[in-house]
Amino acid sequence: MERRDLLKMIAAATGLAFVGGEAWASGHKTTAASKALFGAGDIMLLDEIAETILPRTDTPGAKDAGSGAQMAVMVQDCYDAKQQALFVAGLAALQASCKQKYQRDFLQLTAAERTALLTQLDKDASARNAAIASNDSTNVSNRKGDASIEPHYFTLLKQLSIFVFFTSKTGATEVLRYVAVPGRYDGALPYKKGDKAWAT
């Protein structure tokens, strides 16, 4: 799968262009924070969130790809300070939602409770992103400092989970079909329903 196609897929799945993609696409690293944004507990939480979004089935899941650690690197290296603050505050908001609804942290929830919580957050994020998309560009540019046009924090979590997984070695070689060295061009390669997409 071409990275450009992956970014289009992420935008379609979340209703918003890939956050932090400008730094990644240009190769420009944002100014690193003076200290690491995430501790071991945060990375474990990110692993479990990503695993709930992309669980292990007959193929590897997000935890098999070490998604949590890579998500932390992406936030540190590709998000600007405002996006980093939104992401970190989002993790705290997710934990607050867990405690309010279940009186427990996310890591203590059952698989069904995790799925229910993230499904609701995904609906909230979709509604927020639809509202952002409905604003015309003039209106948005005039309200740059307005928090109402920031994406929902779950959008960032979902985008990074998908991006990190499908660009990992595990995702590219064990979930997608992968050919390390391309062979001859075959414009009429037979397709069977259910075949995996190609990784490149």
Side-chain angles (χ1 to χ4, degrees):
M1 178 181 293
E2 294 283 339
R3 287 192 181 203
R4 183 174 295 166
D5 294 334
L6 176 59
L7 294 176
K8 287 179 186 174
M9 181 187 80
I10 289 170
T14 61
L16 202 64
F18 187 59
V19 177
E22 313 82 28
W24 174 79
S26 67
H28 172 264
K29 184 174 175 174
T30 58
T31 305
S34 57
K35 59 182 178 124
L37 290 171
F38 304 102
D42 296 321
I43 290 173
M44 189 183 304
L45 175 61
L46 289 172
D47 259 338
E48 295 300 333
I49 292 168
E51 182 71 16
T52 305
I53 294 169
L54 295 163
R56 170 184 268 277
T57 55
D58 56 337
T59 58
K63 271 181 19 181
D64 297 310
S67 293
Q70 189 56 38
M71 288 167 74
V73 169
M74 290 286 292
V75 172
Q76 185 83 30
D77 290 355
C78 297
Y79 281 7
D80 62 28
K82 187 176 177 183
Q83 292 164 342
Q84 288 173 347
L86 177 62
F87 191 91
V88 171
L91 285 181
L94 185 140
Q95 287 286 43
S97 295
C98 290
K99 288 187 178 173
Q100 180 183 6
K101 190 167 184 180
Y102 299 107
Q103 293 74 50
R104 300 192 305 282
D105 286 339
F106 187 82
L107 297 177
Q108 298 169 322
L109 301 183
T110 65
E113 289 170 337
R114 290 177 182 185
T115 300
L117 179 73
L118 295 191
T119 300
Q120 184 56 53
L121 289 176
D122 193 36
K123 288 177 184 173
D124 296 345
S126 294
R128 173 86 171 241
N129 296 339
I132 291 170
S134 70
N135 283 328
D136 63 293
S137 58
T138 313
N139 190 26
V140 171
S141 64
N142 289 338
R143 297 162 53 205
K144 276 197 170 167
D146 190 345
S148 66
I149 62 169
E150 290 177 353
H152 191 282
Y153 69 86
F154 184 73
T155 299
L156 280 62
L157 286 164
K158 186 176 179 181
Q159 287 183 342
L160 279 184
S161 298
I162 296 169
F163 181 79
V164 163
F165 180 71
F166 285 107
T167 56
S168 70
K169 181 179 179 183
T170 302
T173 61
E174 297 181 46
V175 176
L176 300 171
R177 293 184 286 176
Y178 179 75
V179 178
V181 180
R184 65 180 178 80
Y185 173 75
D186 185 354
L189 186 69
Y191 169 77
K192 295 187 296 282
K193 186 170 180 159
D195 279 352
K196 296 177 181 177
W198 289 97
T200 55

